Amino acid sequence: MIKKLITLLLIIFSTQLVEAQDIALGNGQKYTIGKITVTGTTNYNESTVIAYTGLKTGQSIYIPGDRLSNVIKKLWDLELFSDVNIYVVGIQGTVANLEIEIKELPTIGKITLVGIKNRKSKKEKFLKDYELKTGTKITENLITTTENKIEKDLAKKGHLFAEATITTKDIPADTISSDEGKKVEFIVNVDKKDKVKIANFNIEGNEVFSDAKVRRQFKTKRRNFLRFWKRSKFIEEDYEAGKQKLIEKYKSKGYRDARIVADTMTVKNDKAVELAINLEEGDKYYFGNISFLGNTVYTDQQLRRVLGIAKGDTYNGTLLDKKIADIENPEANDITNLYQNNGYLFAQINPVETKVYNDTIDFEIRIYEGKLAYFDKITVTGNDKTNDHVIYRNLRTKPGQIYSKQDVVRTVRELGATGFFNAEKLSPDFNVNPADATVDLNYHVEEAGASQIQLQGGYGGGGFVGTLGLSFNNFSIKGIFDKDAYKPLPMGDGQTLSLQAQAATFYQTYSLSFSEPWLGGKKPIRLSTSFSYSKQFQFDFVNRDVDRSQNFNIIGGSIGLAKRLTIPDDFFTASAALSFQYYDLNNFQVARLFRFENGSARNFALTLGLTRDNTYTNPIFPMGGSSFGITAKLTPPYSAFNGVDYANLENQEEFQNVNGSPNYAAIDQEKYKWLEYYKVKFNANWYNNLFAKLVLRTGIELGYLGAYNQDRGIPPFERFFLGGDGLGGYSLDGRENIRLRGYPNQSVYPASRTGTITENSSYGAPIYNKFSLELRYPITLKPQASIFTLAFAEGGASYDSFREYNPFLLNRSAGLGLRIFMPAFGMLGIDFGYGFDPIPGTESGANGWETHFIIGQQF
């Protein structure tokens, strides 16, 4: 009640009342207003209504007159009343008493849905979609538009003859308070009726394309491959879009004049319709002479290279339009982008047919280049967590810089790639000032959760295993000493801080990493550091006993730099990192790695990398682009300068037992005092948007671990283990787990040409390759949770040497999966994969189905 009064008062005081000269209507007589009363209202104060009309006691008006007509109209325009009348209730001389009778619109007191599935979620969605809620004023327009919208939405789903009927029923007055006004029950009755199918689709006049090709342009006629015998449902919007697509298909093949002469839809019954179209294909045309007019910035030759159309080519109107301006691809190689990427925002390019003769069409590309445009004001709004400087350093658009559409698109990409913002909502707002040729640009961002927590617990490996991980992806290290910055943690500088702890009955491992993407704040040079510590005790799995006097400690750390390059383009990044691990054994047996129980080993390496990533825009669900990376991890070639004869260690006295037999503990201690190897990896992914939001990801991975000195050999560290979900479990040897769905974890060992497991298979593999195809389709890409489904086919294998290498002899698999990305927990998912081949070393047939759970991997 109070809200309604305030609303009406605001309308009164914000409306400027202009008292125009009153005009008599018909035989109108002039009167002075006496008493004014208001009847019929319960929600609005009488004086408030009178004040809004502008009528006052003592005022002169004509009855009937223009002034009273305008008052009635003004009250109607409020859309608060179902009837408005003004009566003269008494005249004394020239004084007239007026009564303003208003009937308030009823409000929705209760909503009843009939014909909607009786599920709470369904009903809530229905009410939200059609903006229905209690307290809403009921007008004829509300009823009509709601009915029409419901029927239209159902028609889009194939319910062509659906009916929506809205009725109202008074709610008894004794159930509501007296000052609430009239309330009614709002009854929405939806009769979906059956989906309308296409009984027949008749096509006439087509000679160039077969009936089947014509039908393929119509989405309504596409059959589900699992239900090919069933008729397709009819959706009018898809049918209209199909007609447009059909004409574009003809034009792309040279038939410029193709048109649909007639199309009809005949209703067979309430469940089926029959479609018929009559085509006139016309003649086939070819491009003739193409000239350019008005171009001064680019030569005809430069424009022709971009146009890519030559005299004699089959006429293709669709291609011509895309080469002038491809509205579907903001980064297309077209003439409009050529100008707009270089400052000519106001350029206009229009192809004009200048001559049509026989089967040839001459074109003139008329160009208005306009003035050079410049960026003026560049602003960012919506960042309530991320500091301004973090965003501004990613902007490629600067005040005073020549306008470039490419820079705007690239900025949107890079802001989305940070992971700090909702990539689906990134859209710059333009304010173009043609007079001074400037552009004001505002990037409105919507913050997304940038921190993740990993909390896992389970029973395995002889006891309970617990993991706690925290990752802060928009951290601010300078805020750790500022108590006001804890909301709940210092955030906003774009840094990454990760901590993880894992503990079980017989081991503990801890890790800490930090990354600064803009070292010094001036250039995109990323500094990365990490530290880790692991401690394992000897464990008797039979007696479930831990001997803490026997332990194996690993301490490691790394530091690296990565810099964005400008050559060959600025999608490239070069990186270098130094890493060190120290292995310390105290009366501890690790038979598979070392044959000594007391001693140490060291792993010092330099890792060099080159990557290129131009995927866009959402890092969780890229819609296009590609990425690749090649890395080389190199230890110093110690054997080249340490003077040790590794081929003859067994024959040297210091590496023999008292009885003259080889002392393998001493030999291994010498070999692994400093690990020696080189490791090269390559991976590439391509993302292709097939249609709508269906994306095909094509991937390839290769890895090779080699030795400088063959006498020293490849160490049992840093090897590749293929198969399963690819999640890294606890290990001491720096292994890399490679995902290959459809097979158990780490089960695809190197196999010989005969298919038998090789002698060193349990040590992993020094060589592997993997190839994958993945179709992805999003269910939702909201910042709270991004969900997409996928179907995959992949194959991979590992090898002991290049003699065994065969890229066509793979363990193959296919399956389906689901991914859920939540900012607080990272990537979660499940895959169901079917392995078509046996596990190496087994004689069984296909491995069959495997279920894989994905935690934390973003792919």
Side-chain angles (χ1 to χ4, degrees):
M1 176 69 179
I2 293 173
K3 288 183 178 179
K4 292 178 181 178
L5 286 172
I6 292 173
T7 301
L8 193 52
L9 286 169
L10 286 173
I11 293 173
I12 293 171
F13 292 115
S14 63
T15 304
Q16 204 173 26
L17 296 176
V18 179
E19 301 211 10
Q21 183 178 1
D22 196 10
I23 301 173
L25 298 177
N27 297 320
Q29 299 293 318
K30 194 170 186 178
Y31 291 91
T32 299
I33 299 176
K35 185 178 179 180
I36 305 173
T37 57
V38 179
T39 61
T41 181
T42 58
N43 283 331
Y44 301 106
N45 182 276
E46 182 179 41
S47 59
T48 302
V49 175
I50 295 171
Y52 182 74
T53 65
L55 299 175
K56 299 176 183 176
T57 299
Q59 205 171 48
S60 296
I61 59 169
Y62 284 98
I63 302 177
D66 187 59
R67 183 65 179 278
L68 289 180
S69 297
N70 287 336
V71 168
I72 293 173
K73 182 179 182 301
K74 191 175 181 181
L75 290 171
W76 270 114
D77 289 344
L78 287 174
E79 295 186 350
L80 297 173
F81 312 112
S82 61
D83 197 11
V84 178
N85 295 291
I86 297 180
Y87 300 106
V88 177
V89 294
I91 296 177
Q92 297 176 351
T94 59
V95 177
N97 297 322
L98 303 180
E99 177 186 325
I100 302 173
E101 181 191 58
I102 54 177
K103 293 183 180 178
E104 293 184 34
L105 287 170
T107 59
I108 298 177
K110 176 184 177 183
I111 301 174
T112 301
L113 303 180
V114 181
I116 306 298
K117 286 185 179 180
N118 192 25
R119 290 212 306 261
K120 183 179 179 181
S121 59
K122 286 284 184 182
K123 291 189 174 183
E124 286 178 350
K125 185 177 185 303
F126 184 91
L127 296 175
K128 182 179 178 181
D129 288 345
Y130 297 103
E131 299 178 356
L132 299 177
K133 55 186 177 181
T134 56
T136 302
K137 292 287 185 181
I138 302 174
T139 64
E140 287 298 323
N141 181 60
L142 173 68
I143 293 173
T144 303
T145 55
T146 303
E147 288 175 341
N148 290 341
K149 188 178 179 184
I150 294 170
E151 291 174 358
K152 185 178 180 180
D153 289 346
L154 288 171
K156 290 179 181 178
K157 298 177 181 179
H159 301 275
L160 188 62
F161 303 122
E163 292 181 357
T165 306
I166 296 175
T167 57
T168 60
K169 186 170 71 174
D170 291 345
I171 294 176
D174 58 357
T175 63
I176 57 176
S177 59
S178 59
D179 63 343
E180 286 186 293
K182 184 179 180 181
K183 288 194 173 185
V184 298
E185 182 180 0
F186 196 78
I187 305 167
V188 184
N189 194 319
V190 179
D191 183 2
K192 290 184 177 180
K193 301 190 183 300
D194 292 326
K195 289 185 177 180
V196 175
K197 306 295 183 179
I198 302 172
N200 292 300
F201 194 169
N202 301 315
I203 303 161
E204 295 181 5
N206 56 311
E207 295 180 1
V208 177
F209 298 131
S210 65
D211 287 1
K213 280 190 176 182
V214 171
R215 289 191 184 103
R216 275 200 292 270
Q217 309 310 309
F218 292 84
K219 187 177 178 182
T220 53
K221 199 56 186 174
R222 289 178 183 166
R223 295 181 173 90
N224 185 314
F225 73 95
L226 293 176
R227 304 190 303 165
F228 60 87
W229 62 87
K230 291 197 174 184
R231 297 171 180 172
S232 299
K233 61 186 178 184
F234 176 78
I235 299 175
E236 189 171 4
E237 284 189 3
D238 290 344
Y239 176 60
E240 294 299 325
K243 291 193 294 183
Q244 181 64 34
K245 188 178 177 183
L246 176 61
I247 297 303
E248 289 176 0
K249 178 75 172 175
Y250 270 101
K251 288 184 176 181
S252 71
K253 299 300 181 182
Y255 295 88
R256 182 194 69 158
D257 301 328
R259 64 193 184 99
I260 296 175
V261 179
D263 71 289
T264 58
M265 181 188 75
T266 305
V267 178
K268 305 291 288 183
N269 51 55
D270 59 356
K271 295 182 181 180
V273 297
E274 183 175 277
L275 305 178
I277 61 171
N278 190 352
L279 288 163
E280 186 178 287
E281 295 176 328
D283 298 325
K284 186 174 184 178
Y285 288 88
Y286 299 85
F287 284 108
N289 295 312
I290 301 176
S291 59
F292 296 90
L293 179 66
N295 53 307
T296 61
V297 178
Y298 299 103
T299 65
D300 289 3
Q301 186 177 7
Q302 288 174 310
L303 294 175
R304 282 197 178 92
R305 277 201 299 267
V306 176
L307 189 65
I309 298 173
K311 183 178 181 179
D313 289 353
T314 299
Y315 172 81
N316 187 334
T318 303
L319 176 63
L320 178 62
D321 290 341
K322 286 189 174 183
K323 285 297 184 179
I324 297 298
D326 189 343
I327 60 175
E328 296 179 355
N329 182 5
E331 297 181 276
N333 182 26
D334 59 48
I335 294 177
T336 298
N337 278 347
L338 178 67
Y339 274 95
Q340 292 195 358
N341 287 339
N342 292 280
Y344 292 90
L345 172 62
F346 306 104
Q348 299 176 19
I349 298 97
N350 298 302
V352 178
E353 294 182 8
T354 56
K355 188 177 181 181
V356 180
Y357 50 99
N358 299 325
D359 60 356
T360 304
I361 307 172
D362 288 347
F363 279 89
E364 185 174 78
I365 311 296
R366 297 176 182 174
I367 300 173
Y368 168 72
E369 295 177 332
K371 296 185 293 185
L372 271 175
Y374 294 84
F375 290 114
D376 189 10
K377 296 178 182 177
I378 307 294
T379 55
V380 177
T381 56
N383 55 312
D384 51 9
K385 295 180 183 177
T386 306
N387 294 324
D388 287 347
H389 74 272
V390 174
I391 302 176
Y392 279 102
R393 71 192 183 190
N394 284 289
L395 302 186
R396 292 175 174 265
T397 53
K398 311 290 184 184
Q401 174 183 304
I402 291 176
Y403 173 83
S404 170
K405 178 182 176 182
Q406 187 177 33
D407 286 345
V408 177
V409 173
R410 185 72 184 276
T411 295
V412 172
R413 269 195 193 185
E414 295 191 359
L415 288 176
T418 63
F420 306 151
F421 312 110
N422 179 5
E424 301 301 310
K425 294 288 184 69
L426 279 171
S427 180
D429 299 321
F430 291 82
N431 183 16
V432 181
N433 306 302
D436 55 5
T438 61
V439 180
D440 296 337
L441 201 56
N442 177 65
Y443 295 96
H444 182 75
V445 299
E446 181 182 302
E447 296 271 8
S451 299
Q452 298 172 12
I453 183 170
Q454 180 185 4
L455 184 61
Q456 293 176 287
Y459 189 86
F464 179 81
V465 180
T467 301
L468 174 63
L470 299 172
S471 180
F472 309 105
N473 296 326
N474 193 3
F475 191 70
S476 175
I477 196 167
K478 70 179 182 183
I480 59 176
F481 300 111
D482 181 4
K483 64 179 182 180
D484 295 330
Y486 285 80
K487 300 177 181 179
L489 288 169
M491 304 293 283
D493 277 347
Q495 299 159 346
T496 301
L497 177 67
S498 298
L499 305 95
Q500 188 177 63
Q502 188 177 67
T505 306
F506 61 96
Y507 74 85
Q508 302 164 10
T509 180
Y510 308 94
S511 65
L512 168 69
S513 65
F514 174 77
S515 176
E516 164 58 72
W518 283 66
L519 183 61
K522 300 289 186 181
K523 294 182 180 180
I525 299 175
R526 177 179 290 273
L527 169 68
S528 300
T529 60
S530 68
F531 173 80
S532 63
Y533 172 73
S534 297
K535 189 178 187 73
Q536 179 174 341
F537 303 103
Q538 201 74 58
F539 184 70
D540 185 340
F541 285 90
V542 177
N543 298 315
R544 304 177 63 80
D545 183 39
V546 178
D547 186 349
R548 295 185 179 274
S549 66
Q550 303 179 45
N551 56 73
F552 182 12
N553 303 310
I554 305 174
I555 298 174
S558 69
I559 184 168
L561 293 173
K563 185 180 187 303
R564 185 188 298 163
L565 305 179
T566 56
I567 298 174
D569 62 41
D570 57 5
F571 291 109
F572 279 86
T573 300
S575 62
L578 291 172
S579 61
F580 178 76
Q581 288 85 36
Y582 178 74
Y583 303 88
D584 180 34
L585 286 83
N586 298 295
N587 194 28
F588 191 92
Q589 296 179 355
V590 193
R592 194 175 62 77
L593 290 179
F594 307 112
R595 287 179 288 189
F596 57 87
E597 297 181 3
N598 290 283
S600 61
R602 299 156 186 84
N603 185 359
F604 176 71
L606 169 67
T607 302
L608 302 174
L610 181 67
T611 61
R612 185 179 189 274
D613 187 345
N614 72 331
T615 56
Y616 54 89
T617 294
N618 189 336
I620 305 302
F621 191 86
M623 292 291 292
S626 62
S627 66
F628 82 83
I630 183 168
T631 61
K633 188 174 185 180
L634 314 165
T635 66
Y638 303 107
S639 58
F641 51 78
N642 64 8
V644 178
D645 183 4
Y646 291 98
N648 200 33
L649 288 179
E650 295 183 4
N651 299 321
Q652 297 178 33
E653 185 176 350
E654 61 182 301
F655 299 108
Q656 293 179 344
N657 295 314
V658 177
N659 62 2
S661 62
N663 184 340
Y664 291 110
I667 290 172
D668 275 10
Q669 176 65 86
E670 181 64 32
K671 279 187 176 182
Y672 303 135
K673 186 185 299 181
W674 289 93
L675 300 183
E676 181 182 280
Y677 61 89
Y678 63 91
K679 185 178 186 179
V680 180
K681 295 188 296 178
F682 172 81
N683 69 81
N685 289 283
W686 294 267
Y687 298 87
N688 293 289
N689 188 192
L690 302 182
F691 63 86
K693 289 191 175 182
L694 181 66
V695 174
L696 172 66
R697 182 184 72 87
T698 306
I700 180 173
E701 296 179 38
L702 304 168
Y704 175 67
L705 178 67
Y708 302 113
N709 186 331
Q710 297 306 317
D711 293 330
R712 191 173 188 181
I714 301 171
F717 287 81
E718 300 284 340
R719 296 194 171 214
F720 305 108
F721 288 77
L722 196 62
D725 50 35
L727 293 176
Y730 176 73
S731 64
L732 301 172
D733 52 10
R735 68 180 59 185
E736 290 195 44
N737 296 298
I738 310 301
R739 175 174 60 103
L740 183 63
R741 292 162 287 188
Y743 299 92
N745 285 356
Q746 304 178 18
S747 65
V748 184
Y749 292 132
S752 68
R753 295 178 188 273
T754 62
T756 59
I757 292 291
T758 59
E759 182 180 355
N760 296 320
S761 60
S762 61
Y763 291 89
I767 303 171
Y768 88 96
N769 59 204
K770 179 187 156 190
F771 310 94
S772 58
L773 292 171
E774 198 169 86
L775 279 171
R776 301 173 164 195
Y777 191 82
I779 297 173
T780 177
L781 294 176
K782 294 181 178 179
Q784 298 88 346
S786 295
I787 305 173
F788 63 90
T789 58
L790 58 89
F792 66 87
E794 57 190 14
S798 59
Y799 314 90
D800 269 333
S801 69
F802 276 118
R803 288 193 303 272
E804 304 292 336
Y805 183 74
N806 183 347
F808 303 104
L809 187 62
L810 305 171
N811 280 69
R812 302 158 300 166
S813 65
L816 303 170
L818 178 72
R819 296 289 182 275
I820 302 174
F821 178 83
M822 292 185 289
F825 299 98
M827 184 68 80
L828 307 172
I830 186 171
D831 288 329
F832 302 96
Y834 185 88
F836 294 105
D837 300 292
I839 297 173
T842 66
E843 297 180 358
S844 60
N847 181 63
W849 289 101
E850 295 279 348
T851 302
H852 308 286
F853 293 96
I854 311 301
I855 301 173
Q857 291 176 310
Q858 296 185 21
F859 53 79

